[in-house]
Amino acid sequence: MCVGTPSSETGEVDLSYIFKTAEEIGEIIKEKEEFHIVLIRSTSMPGTVDKYAEIVEAKSGKKRKKDFDIASNPEFLREGNAVNDFYNPPYTLLGCECESSEKTVRRMYSFLECPFILTSIRTAEMLKYVNNTFHALKVDFANEISRFCKKKNIDSREVIDIFIMDRKLNISEYYLRPGFAFGGSCLPKDVKALSYEGKKMGINMPVIYNIMNSNELQIEWAFQTIIKEKATNVGVFGISFKNGTDDLRESPAILLVEKLLGKGKNVYIYDENVHLANIIGTNKEFVEKEIKHISTLLESDPLKMLEKVDVVVIANRDNAYREIVNNLNKKEMIIIDLVNLFPEKKRSKNYRGIGW
Ligand SMILES: NC(=O)c1ccc[n+]([C@@H]2O[C@H](COP(=O)([O-])OP(=O)(O)OC[C@H]3O[C@@H](n4cnc5c(N)ncnc54)[C@H](O)[C@@H]3O)[C@@H](O)[C@H]2O)c1
């Protein structure tokens, strides 16, 4: 099923063509005796497959998973290259929660050599929006850089050619993991400097100008996630901007702690790498001038800290925190993971992530 899903006037996706087919299919399968599978290939918002199945159930009087099934199977074709893309997709993606339809669909695609990825229906529905929004972001990013380069008399084609040669950090999975805000002495400084220079030259680069805003919103999002727990005593694991370092400059965890203190929380901090006596240079200057009050919250014993808190926030990715938390026998404590230190954990009564 691959009917159009155009934009309505507000930008909202118009799913009416999809749901029209649900009614038609419901009507047609009324009399059908064999199991019927519908794969939704249209790009449609998470939740569409479930609503589709409800319509088919209502129209046909049949039961989902017993008499028929609806699954999400987004297509990754580009216009003008569709046949080639059909035979050479990056992967076959199936969002399906019914074993027998999964088997049938696997068999149907067995002629393709690419990986077959089975996931939940909502994850599959989400994927196409993530892909296309990222592609759009890439286009606009490259174009904003090109406008900046042109003003500076630099050939942006050469800049981007060299930029994409870096497959370790630039064109890679690096920096693409959901988690906490960025910080440190380079990223914020350089994004701010490029934005300042762009504005000075009168260039409009809204994507780049909003990077710092988006980063601050992620700190606010972490703060809101924590205060929702209504706990008074909060422990924070990791205060430096990155695990394995004691660099506190522009650390988003510090801004988060400031917000928690402002809300009247008792905050305790433990960081494997931050020992005030060893801090030197501009980092030391920063601690003494800007965050002396925060440095007094540092704890030297993580287990003692955990005894005092109801919520523990993981703010950088150090395996030492993982071990400490895993070995702890304190059932009522809530872990809020900002950095995916526990990739195997699902959201539960005692565990939540910043975006999962
Ligand atoms: N065009 C692409 O390259 C591409 C790539 C990936 C995903 N998609 C997604 O696939 C979906 C379809 O895109 P498209 O560009 O092919 O749209 P389209 O509008 O060109 O084609 C949709 C077709 O569905 C037919 N149709 C509509 N209602 C029908 C019904 N009830 N019964 C039978 N046929 C019906 C229409 O007549 C039309 O031929 C969209 O959700 C789109 O986002 C498109």
Side-chain angles (χ1 to χ4, degrees), residues 1-6 13-22 24 40-44 74-82 85 128-129 132:
M1 203 290 301
C2 197
V3 300
T5 47
V13 58
D14 176 358
L15 299 172
S16 58
Y17 301 104
I18 292 203
F19 294 137
K20 178 90 184 11
T21 70
E24 290 165 357
I40 309 277
R41 305 225 70 194
S42 299
T43 304
S44 46
E75 62 171 32
F76 301 106
L77 312 180
R78 289 163 299 171
E79 277 190 56
N81 207 33
D85 285 348
K128 192 69 198 182
Y129 285 106
N132 280 349

Side-chain angles (χ1 to χ4, degrees), residues 2 43 56 88 209 239 323 325 349:
C2 197
T43 304
V56 175
N88 300 288
Y209 295 161
I239 191 74
E323 264 174 56
V325 171
K349 204 168 133 267

